[in-house]
Amino acid sequence: MIDMASFDELAQASEAAVTSTFCHTLGSYMATALEEHFGVPQIDAPQPYGISATDEWLRAIAKAVGKEKETEEYIKSEHERIAPKIEGLREKLKGLNGFVMTGSSYAHGLICVLRELGIGVEGSIVFHHDPVYDSGHENQNTLKYLVDNYGDIPHFTVSKTQAFQLPNILKRVKTDFVIIRHNGLAPVAAKLGVPSLAMGDEHFPVGYDGIIRTGEAILDIITRKKFNQVLKRHTDLGYTDWWLSQEDPFVLAHHPELINEPINEFNGGKYDGE
């Protein structure tokens, strides 16, 4: 755990048998440096979000340290343990749609978990995108892993996203809740009538138990849906009707000239220009 390590503990990192990470965006830099400069092998596996990716992650670690037999026994026992819990959650979560707003590879992993639970995901905002991977390992391409194994996301946005864009972004998708890693946007979602799960602990959805924890947390937050709907009725977001009527959340970026134009010149308040 780099973020919790002391200087002396970091100094011993070059003695590790292998390195692994829960996040290819944040963890791969250190792992690649250890691999290239000190010969510490980096685990070449998907992030451990979702059942199949966790299986692959554990098997890659097992192969590196010679624990294949023990790991296969563990994987088998964990599958048997979580199967009834996962099926129960899928039944309770059936028909729900979610929306994810986090950093890039973390969002990709979370969407894998949601789709493992049978939850639809039509849209996501990732706050950055990293097309170049530190080690060059194909498994660090977490977006490719998500799309190849769990399907595409129709409304996938790479943006820091200003708060004023969020109402129009959420209008494009069906969603019963949002998962937000950075808490500043959570109140905006709440005022739009959408329950939000502010996931402060980045390890929350990791591994087999992470799927169960995530499903149970979603069940908890959707019970607040009526509160959010009441909040929406009594909240003024402060945006004009013209802005809230826009189909394109990024219309001001596509047409910056609109900022200096009177609203009533645009088709009764709605812009339909090229």
Side-chain angles (χ1 to χ4, degrees):
M1 294 292 293
I2 295 172
D3 54 346
M4 302 295 289
S6 67
F7 178 84
D8 290 337
E9 288 168 336
L10 287 175
Q12 294 180 332
S14 63
E15 302 172 18
V18 297
T19 62
S20 64
T21 178
F22 298 154
C23 177
H24 285 317
T25 295
L26 299 179
S28 60
Y29 178 80
M30 181 70 168
T32 300
L34 288 170
E35 188 172 54
E36 292 179 351
H37 295 285
F38 299 99
V40 179
Q42 182 178 175
I43 294 301
D44 185 16
Q47 300 175 137
Y49 298 97
I51 295 172
S52 60
T54 300
D55 291 350
E56 290 187 50
W57 184 74
L58 288 170
R59 285 176 176 134
I61 296 172
K63 184 177 181 181
V65 298
K67 296 289 184 180
E68 291 96 327
K69 181 176 182 296
E70 295 91 333
T71 299
E72 288 303 324
E73 291 172 354
Y74 174 74
I75 289 172
K76 182 175 182 294
S77 67
E78 285 295 278
H79 280 207
E80 292 171 354
R81 178 181 69 85
I82 67 171
K85 295 180 181 179
I86 298 291
E87 285 307 312
L89 285 168
R90 286 173 179 161
E91 184 62 31
K92 293 175 182 176
L93 296 166
K94 186 185 299 182
L96 289 182
N97 289 280
F99 191 93
V100 175
M101 300 172 59
T102 74
S104 61
S105 61
Y106 193 67
H108 308 154
L110 272 171
I111 294 170
C112 292
V113 171
L114 294 182
R115 287 186 168 167
E116 287 265 14
L117 290 167
I119 295 170
V121 182
E122 295 183 359
S124 176
I125 295 169
V126 296
F127 299 133
H128 51 86
H129 178 67
D130 303 282
V132 178
Y133 311 102
D134 294 310
S135 71
H137 291 317
E138 184 176 348
N139 277 313
Q140 287 184 356
N141 189 340
T142 53
L143 181 57
K144 182 177 186 300
Y145 181 86
L146 165 63
V147 173
D148 287 351
N149 291 276
Y150 294 92
D152 204 358
I153 303 95
H155 296 284
F156 186 84
T157 301
V158 180
S159 172
K160 277 293 183 186
T161 307
Q162 299 294 328
F164 71 86
Q165 295 170 330
L166 191 55
N168 297 11
I169 286 175
L170 290 178
K171 187 170 64 176
R172 300 184 301 179
V173 300
K174 291 186 297 184
T175 187
D176 296 288
F177 65 89
V178 298
I179 296 179
I180 297 177
R181 180 77 177 89
H182 304 285
N183 296 352
L185 287 171
V188 181
K191 292 173 184 177
L192 291 167
V194 183
S196 60
L197 170 57
M199 195 168 278
D201 180 0
E202 66 270 26
H203 304 118
F204 194 82
V206 168
Y208 302 121
D209 281 326
I211 306 170
I212 296 169
R213 283 193 296 267
T214 302
E216 290 174 344
I218 291 167
L219 287 176
D220 286 341
I221 65 167
I222 61 174
T223 61
R224 304 198 305 261
K225 193 164 187 176
K226 186 171 183 179
F227 166 78
N228 289 100
Q229 290 169 346
V230 172
L231 184 64
K232 178 182 179 180
R233 289 200 302 268
H234 296 278
T235 300
D236 183 358
L237 294 173
Y239 307 130
T240 65
D241 292 339
W242 174 83
W243 172 247
L244 294 175
S245 72
Q246 297 308 306
E247 299 297 328
D248 179 7
F250 308 104
V251 66
L252 296 180
H254 296 150
H255 300 280
E257 71 277 7
L258 289 176
I259 296 172
N260 299 316
E261 295 292 340
I263 292 173
N264 59 11
E265 290 187 10
F266 297 98
N267 192 28
K270 184 176 289 189
Y271 179 70
D272 60 358
E274 294 296 325

